[in-house]
Every structure is written in C-alpha cells, then in structure tokens.
Amino acid sequence: MAIETLYDKDGSLAPLQGKTIAVLGYGSQGHAHAQNLRDSGLNVIVANRKDSANGKLAAEHGFDPSPVADAVKKADLVVLTLPDEVQPDVYAKDIAPNLEAGKTLVFTHGFNIHFKTITPPDNVNVIMVAPKGPGHTVRWEYERGGGVPCLMAIHQDATGSAHDLALAYAIGVGGGKGGTLVTTFKDECETDLFGEQVVLCGGLSESIKKGFEVLTEAGYPPELAYFEVCHELELIINLIKRGGLDYMRYSISNTAEFGDYYTGPKICDDDTKKRMEAALKHIQDGSFAKAFRDDYQDGFKWFKQQRKENAGHKVEAVGKELRRMMPWLKPVELTDDGVKAV
Ligand code: NDP
Ligand code: MG
C-alpha cells in the first residue's frame, strides 16, 4: 500500500491510560467518540449544554455534561467534536485560556488548523483522528466489533508522544480494525471537502434531484421516479462497497451494465471533470472556507435558505410518503425537535 496504514497490532491504548479525555460536544461524532473510548476502558468526560437534546442524550448514556472550560481544565486531551464553524470562537473563549503546556488537542477534521482559523500555541500537541464515516456509523460499527477506517495526522508534536497518542486514540474509537491511514491535516481537509462537495453529498443530491425532475416533468408518476433514482441507490452502493464497480456491474443486468457504459459518460463528461477540478481549486485556495465562514458570520442566511428550498423539493415529499409504508427501513423524519422515528 502506498500510504502507511496502521492496525490494532501496530499500537496500544497504553498512551491514553490514566489520562482524561474531554470530548467537547455530543453530536454526531462526539457521541460516538465518547462512548467508543469509554467502552475501550478509557477515562472520558463530556462537555455539552445540559438542556439540549444532545446534552440529555449524554446524561442518558451515563455522562455528566459540563461547560467546555471546566472540561478543558480537567483534561489531558481535548477533543473538538464541535461544528467546524463554532470551533474558533469556543477555542478563543473557553479552550485557549485553559490549555496548559503538554496537553493535546484532538481534531476530527483538519479544517480549522489547515485554514488557520485556530492557531494553537507551540507547547501543545495537535493531532487529528478523523473517522471516514458519519458518527452514527462510527458507533454502530464499533458496537458490532468492527470499526470505521480513520485518517490520522500530526500537526504539532510538543511532547514527543503525539504519534503514539494519535494511534492509541484511533484504536480506542475502532479505527485500528478497518485501518488508520497516516496523512496530513492538509490532505485530509482538502480531500474530505472535495469528496463531500463533488461526489458523496453535493454530486449525489443533485443527481437525485435532476433525475427525479426529468422523469416527473416528462409525465411519469413521482412514486416511480423516487424508486428509480433514489430508493435503489442503497443496493447499488452496497454492491460497490463490497466488491467495487465491477462487482456492482456483474450483479446488475446486462441491459443496465450496457446502459452504464453507453450513457454514464454522456452525463458525467469531460466538462463535468473540468468543473470538478475548479471545485478542487476553490477548496485549495481557501475560497470555499471563506464563503463558509462569511455566511456563518452573516447568521448562515444563505445556508438556511438552501436548507429550506431543498426540504421543499418534490422528491422529499414523495419519499416521505413512501418510506412511511416501509417501516422495516426504520424511516426517520426531521422535526423542529430533532430526528423522530416514524
Ligand atoms: P454536530 O453538529 O453533530 O454536533 C455538535 C455538538 O457541538 C453538539 O453536541 C452541540 O451541542 C455542540 N455545540 C454546538 N455549538 C456549540 C457551542 N457554541 N458551544 C458548545 N457546544 C456547541 O457536529 P459533528 O459531529 O457533525 O461535527 C463535529 C466535528 O466532526 C467537525 O469537525 C466535523 O467536520 C467532524 N466530522 C463530522 C463527521 C460527521 O459524521 N458528522 C464526519 C467526520 C468528521 P448542543 O447539544 O448544545 O446542540
Ligand atoms: Mg467529510
């Protein structure tokens, strides 16, 4: 393998034993890291507002969520599982004043270090352990004895033990099972942003919406369109995940495979690739990070408008109706009070 990949056998939890790990935030990543590390036998404390949905969940899970500053004071390792846009303010107000030499900052995404919206002092370790999956998968895979692969990186090694701490942390969250790839904050950050914008989230959501629009505008029933361009995706993705594109193509009909080669390159063509390259430039030169921060400072006006418009897309309405008829999918819906099972 071209990139150094570490497994359970390459390290141990010892560097973290006897240390206090403060997980700041009990959201998607935070709840998974806190519980996985605790189940790995480590000493974990959680910082979160007590009265929010996440704060209540942390208490239900046996943690006693405290204010950020209190947790940082007690901790040897401080894990920033807070939204990227709020990290700089929380860092300045509650973390930096309570950081002592030799402590370790743990990031789960390279964004704020790479784009220099957080600049820690030289006397602390700055490491990253970034699971390559949503937080709920990080927890779920760990519970069934596996683990989501992680990326790990060292930005600053103040104590000489940053590498061992990062590997121990990765093992503690389950990343020693699927493999922990050694990388840099820069590479993790830029490839992560590219993946989510161009293929995984942005590219996929727009493909679903445009495919749905073309079929329904041509007069086909929306239910049919939903099944064709959205519902079946899981099946295709599972085949790809288990055996690659060729196994997916082996499993689908010859008609589907022929159509894949015949039409696919007409949809995603060299012009699409050029736009992907432009998106990468936009990430590398910091303009995406600036757009994100500017909108955050403007109360996320543009962001909230997009969320609203997208929630109103017809594919969402018909999907909701159809999923309610398939309880075995364990459908969920977003409400003002968070996620609800339906
Ligand atoms: P979430 O939005 O799911 O959770 C954020 C948590 O931070 C919540 O518990 C929230 O508390 C708390 N919080 C929000 N604002 C503040 C504040 N001002 N002060 C104190 N606490 C606050 O975050 P994610 O888990 O999605 O993201 C965390 C990090 O993980 C990011 O760096 C992200 O890039 C990275 N990451 C995320 C992945 C994912 O799957 N989501 C995948 C890989 C990396 P409250 O209960 O009060 O709302
Ligand atoms: Mg990502």
Side-chain angles (χ1 to χ4, degrees):
M1 235 180 280
I3 188 168
E4 189 185 6
T5 307
L6 303 171
Y7 295 90
D8 284 344
K9 64 174 174 46
D10 298 310
S12 83
L13 292 165
L16 289 176
Q17 270 148 3
K19 297 214 157 61
T20 299
I21 305 170
V23 176
L24 312 183
Y26 206 73
S28 178
Q29 287 295 320
H31 93 287
H33 288 236
Q35 292 183 92
N36 291 5
L37 293 166
R38 182 176 64 183
D39 290 349
S40 294
L42 300 167
N43 180 30
V44 179
I45 58 175
V46 166
N48 208 86
R49 283 189 298 143
K50 270 192 197 297
D51 56 352
S52 72
N54 289 321
K56 286 181 190 154
L57 190 65
E60 250 172 63
H61 291 167
F63 293 105
D64 178 20
S66 71
V68 171
D70 295 355
V72 175
K73 280 179 206 157
K74 286 185 199 146
D76 301 297
L77 289 95
V78 177
V79 185
L80 284 91
T81 34
L82 302 165
D84 295 307
E85 67 277 13
V86 315
Q87 288 181 15
D89 294 342
V90 174
Y91 178 82
K93 189 169 146 281
D94 295 318
I95 301 175
N98 299 301
L99 261 190
E100 283 158 22
K103 288 198 181 189
T104 299
L105 292 173
V106 185
F107 288 85
T108 53
H109 181 27
F111 194 92
N112 284 302
I113 291 295
H114 178 57
F115 292 115
K116 299 191 166 54
T117 30
I118 293 180
T119 312
D122 291 342
N123 61 5
V124 299
N125 295 324
V126 181
I127 66 175
M128 175 176 58
V129 176
K132 288 289 95 187
H136 296 90
T137 316
V138 174
R139 179 60 184 156
W140 181 71
E141 289 282 2
Y142 180 95
E143 278 182 307
R144 63 183 198 130
V148 167
C150 290
L151 302 188
M152 96 174 211
I154 313 296
H155 175 68
Q156 263 177 215
D157 184 3
T159 60
S161 55
H163 176 275
D164 293 352
L165 286 168
L167 180 55
Y169 190 98
I171 291 171
V173 290
K177 299 268 185 321
T180 291
L181 281 60
V182 183
T183 182
T184 60
F185 274 62
K186 176 184 187 294
D187 283 6
E188 182 279 338
C189 179
E190 292 175 352
T191 56
D192 185 76
L193 293 173
F194 180 83
E196 63 204 19
Q197 292 175 26
V198 172
V199 181
L200 301 177
C201 311
L204 183 61
S205 309
E206 288 306 315
S207 289
I208 292 173
K209 282 161 58 186
K210 296 282 188 297
F212 182 86
E213 286 166 17
V214 167
L215 284 178
T216 52
E217 284 163 19
Y220 298 98
E223 294 80 0
L224 210 67
Y226 175 82
F227 279 114
E228 294 300 345
V229 305
C230 188
H231 180 78
E232 282 192 50
L233 267 173
E234 187 197 11
L235 175 86
I236 297 296
I237 297 296
N238 277 333
L239 293 168
I240 296 173
K241 195 172 164 189
R242 290 190 56 215
L245 293 173
D246 67 346
Y247 176 63
M248 180 273 285
R249 286 165 169 158
Y250 159 84
S251 197
I252 61 181
S253 67
N254 281 344
T255 332
E257 185 180 356
F258 184 92
D260 175 334
Y261 305 133
Y262 187 83
T263 307
K266 298 189 181 84
I267 303 302
C268 204
D269 61 10
D270 284 341
D271 279 339
T272 318
K273 189 174 167 188
K274 284 201 187 98
R275 291 194 299 275
M276 288 182 174
E277 285 162 355
L280 180 59
K281 280 256 147 34
H282 206 69
I283 290 166
Q284 289 168 328
D285 69 14
S287 11
F288 171 76
K290 182 174 179 323
F292 181 64
R293 284 210 54 79
D294 286 353
D295 193 51
Y296 172 64
Q297 267 143 12
D298 192 28
F300 266 156
K301 260 192 220 128
W302 182 87
F303 186 26
K304 286 178 184 160
Q305 180 61 23
Q306 300 307 307
R307 207 177 249 172
K308 198 165 142 208
E309 279 171 22
N310 274 269
H313 194 278
K314 279 192 184 140
V315 73
E316 295 286 62
V318 67
K320 204 178 267 186
E321 235 172 82
L322 292 171
R323 288 189 297 269
R324 283 181 180 166
M325 304 305 286
M326 298 183 276
W328 59 91
L329 296 181
K330 300 197 177 84
V332 294
E333 288 173 16
L334 289 182
T335 69
D336 291 340
D337 300 326
V339 180
K340 290 262 153 28
V342 289

